[in-house]
Amino acid sequence: MPEMNEEILITREQIARRVEEMAKEISADQEGRHLVVICILKGSFIFMADLVRKLTCPLSCEFVQVRMVDAPENRQFREIDYIMEFEVDGKDILIVEDIFDSGITIDYLLEHFRDKNPRSMRVCVLLDKSEAHKVEVPVDYVGFSIPRKFVVGYGLDYGERYRELSHIAVLDGVKWPLSE
Ligand code: IMP
Ligand code: MG
């Protein structure tokens, strides 16, 4: 397992400030209506926990786990691994994702939830690696734009490690994406 780069990319203070700003924007857009906030497990659990505590609209929290499935010819697709049943029809939903990397996960989830007829559907990501996009998806709220490097902390892992860090750090020497 590679060693952590000592250089911190985003500090806990910067994260806290940005999460508060994003929550203000989301609350204002929501105009007091109920919001179904959907956490994409596992990477978004800390971000989601901080975000919902700053939102001022009424809300409920839901959880989905998505798995990467490697397909032939370096193509990847996603499958839902785990979902608890919840009502989407006629609801305002907010998909909360840790990172917009290739975009395949968000694209897959937008299609999945669109079929369930929500009143509105928005996407909130903490990090955006624009140089890594393979599909462009509409994202409504972005925390930070970051370079195409492998990052860990604040929920993001490498082999299930480092999720508990309060900041976001670059991890050197990681082969990512795994399929390339
Ligand atoms: P996608 O490529 O946009 O579909 O992202 C898939 C998932 O890969 C994300 O939800 C993250 O869990 C993970 N991922 C992408 N980039 C990183 C990274 O730099 N660090 C840790 N996990 C990552
Ligand atoms: Mg992950």
Side-chain angles (χ1 to χ4, degrees):
M1 194 157 274
E3 279 313 303
M4 284 283 298
N5 185 322
E6 291 304 314
E7 205 184 330
I8 293 174
L9 187 65
I10 308 171
T11 66
R12 64 194 298 174
E13 292 79 15
Q14 287 173 311
I15 297 170
R17 239 176 289 134
R18 189 69 192 113
V19 169
E20 194 159 351
E21 285 169 5
M22 294 171 90
K24 271 196 189 132
E25 203 182 332
I26 296 166
S27 302
D29 291 348
Q30 199 51 25
E31 295 175 335
R33 288 190 309 271
H34 183 97
L35 185 63
V36 179
V37 188
I38 305 170
C39 175
I40 311 310
L41 293 169
K42 300 176 188 173
S44 306
F45 80 110
I46 295 180
F47 175 40
M48 161 101 156
D50 283 347
L51 186 71
V52 294
R53 282 178 289 175
K54 297 290 179 189
L55 290 173
T56 56
C57 54
L59 61 88
S60 46
C61 299
E62 301 295 350
F63 300 86
V64 178
Q65 183 151 16
V66 177
R67 181 159 47 116
M68 282 188 220
V69 184
D70 280 323
E73 293 159 23
N74 273 355
R75 289 178 49 223
Q76 284 183 341
F77 63 95
R78 304 291 187 268
E79 257 176 14
I80 288 189
D81 224 10
Y82 167 85
I83 189 165
M84 267 187 280
E85 285 310 310
F86 59 91
E87 182 89 11
V88 172
D89 194 342
K91 306 282 186 193
D92 292 316
I93 69 169
L94 179 72
I95 296 172
V96 178
E97 174 63 314
D98 51 2
I99 187 163
F100 178 0
D101 188 49
S102 70
I104 298 172
T105 302
I106 299 169
D107 189 50
Y108 169 79
L109 286 171
L110 283 170
E111 197 168 314
H112 173 84
F113 288 116
R114 195 177 292 121
D115 285 349
K116 300 191 181 302
N117 200 30
R119 177 179 181 272
S120 71
M121 189 163 60
R122 276 171 292 155
V123 177
C124 172
V125 299
L126 180 66
L127 306 173
D128 180 15
K129 263 194 230 178
S130 57
E131 298 155 70
H133 294 180
K134 287 184 181 159
V135 286
E136 288 307 328
V137 290
V139 171
D140 302 275
Y141 311 98
V142 175
F144 301 91
S145 293
I146 62 163
R148 191 179 192 178
K149 293 192 170 154
F150 194 82
V151 292
V152 291
Y154 198 67
L156 288 145
D157 75 306
Y158 178 64
E160 296 304 325
R161 283 189 57 199
Y162 309 116
R163 291 193 198 276
E164 71 282 12
L165 298 179
S166 303
H167 55 265
I168 290 167
V170 171
L171 198 63
D172 279 335
V174 174
K175 184 182 171 289
W176 186 265
L178 297 171
S179 63
E180 277 181 6

